[in-house]
Amino acid sequence: MSDAPASGNKPYDLVVRHARVATASDVFETDIGIRDGRIAALARDLPPGAEEIDAAGRWVLPGGVDAHCHLAQKTGDNSVMADDFLSGTRSAACGGTTTVIPFAAQLKGESLAQAVRDYHAVADGKACIDYAFHMIVSDATAQVTQEELPALIGQGYTSFKIYMTYDDLKLNDRQILDVLDTARRHGAMTMVHAESSDCIAWLADRMLAEGLQAPPYHALSRPPVVEREATHRAISLAELLDTPILIVHVSGPEAIEQIRWAQTRGLKIYAETCPQYLFLTAADLGGDALHGAKCICSPPPRDAAAHEAVWNALANGTFQVFSSDHAPFRFDGEGGKKPQGDDTPFNHVPNGIPGLETRLALLFSEGVLEGRLDINTFVALTATQPAKLYGLAPRKGTIAIGADADIVVWDTGLPRVVRNADLHHNVDYTPYEGRTVRAWPGITLSRGRVVYRDGEFVGEAGHGRFLPCERPLAARPRPARHRRAPWLDVLSRVAPDTANDGATP
Ligand code: URP
Ligand code: ZN
Ligand code: ZN
């Protein structure tokens, strides 16, 4: 329906009636008229559509934008991501997400442009909802930072992630400065995985030497101080070049304090957190038969006090983005969490946990319905701000005339028990098994087409389209007249104020 003109004499392909809409700023009652996959009208008592959905006063929100998830990503070892663009986007749609931004990963020695081409081949024809690409820059050669990256940014790949840990991905400080310099001059958003590699290796080596190899030692080898130190260092490098960065998957108060400190000083430092830092603790890495490997991710989940700090930082604006960091490794079988069976040491367990489908329901339930977040903040964190920060607004992330009709009608007030058997990903577990939520999407629309209804996936592979991203305004450095970095003024390569004209407002 979304690709066809409005049928007969009906002005809309679809009308969603009696919607209680929330955007990042407002709440209003309206009908939503959808034509050609876009929102064409917001008003009461719209004329009939070729199809009708009665929202009956339920919450109707923009479809989620999951700005951090891993699908069919090359790993550089023998681990295999169990979700491709079909199962991953199917699962996302069933959880109320209508745009995903996974990562085209460059392995060391590889061309970044080739990594992006390869990733398109992996995605083509498979996605059920729209998608963009971040890139992962793991080999910051001059060819990559001075030629490939600028060209790719111009082609709509306007964000990339860099790592301060993991031997096969990490950049040293000088390499980080090189990529930040490119981001600054070309208006791209740099996402940073902030954990201190040497501290982790030092701790992990000593634990392993003493035979301490069970999953809980993963958390003990990555304590909050290693995240705090790397977060502070990343902020300092960004300040040195006066370049905006976004710290991803922040786990607790130590890193949050650094981010808040930088924001208060006027630096453009953005931050993301994820469900695992609200709903899991380091204790979840315990248990028998390597069960805790299911919850191994980096940074690791912390404790109840950290949950409190993360909730506060979601509510007070320190975090702009709430993503899943979906990393789909199966617990059983080849390529999964246990390459050496039940004897797998923690440093051989692939990092990351699944969460594309549960991200929104968990936050709606425990955030909005428990009164920790207002509905506008929920929409901002899960849809509007990620769309803006990564150059997809105003087409994605909001309910407005002209925006894509990516819309979710929510069921609230239910008790629903999360069961992996009901999820649509290709992973054999969810870390949230048995948890009760009180909100779940009833209907998900992707560009005006129903892709999920009442527990059933009804979309199709190939409906999802690739979205080239604009250069986000948020990635634009402060104008020279507002910065306090005289060293930048003497560098001839520093861009003038107009460097990023054309950025998404
Ligand atoms: O442990 C995690 N977070 N795995 C996914 C990859 C990453 O660093 O985001
Ligand atoms: Zn990461
Ligand atoms: Zn990740």
Side-chain angles (χ1 to χ4, degrees), residues 53-54 159 238 250 253 273 355 369 383 397 420 430 442 475 493 500 503:
I53 290 172
D54 186 359
S159 52
V250 175
T273 192
L369 299 180
N420 197 57
T430 167
R493 292 170 66 85
N500 298 320

Side-chain angles (χ1 to χ4, degrees), residues 62-69 71 85 88-89 92-93 95-102 127-134 322-324 356 359-360 382-384 386-387 390-393 395-398 404-408 444-447 451 464-469:
V65 176
D66 197 333
H68 184 160
C69 57
L71 299 176
F85 276 77
T89 59
T97 288
T98 49
T99 302
V100 289
I101 319 183
C128 319
I129 56 169
D130 293 347
Y131 60 98
F133 289 171
H134 302 297
F322 186 75
S323 307
S324 68
L356 263 173
R359 169 184 77 120
L360 294 174
T382 58
T384 314
Y390 297 120
L392 291 171
R395 182 169 173 192
K396 298 294 186 187
T398 192
D404 281 354
D406 290 356
I407 292 170
V408 178
T444 306
L445 301 177
S446 164
R447 274 183 284 105
V451 291
R465 293 182 188 154
F466 174 71
L467 303 161
C469 297

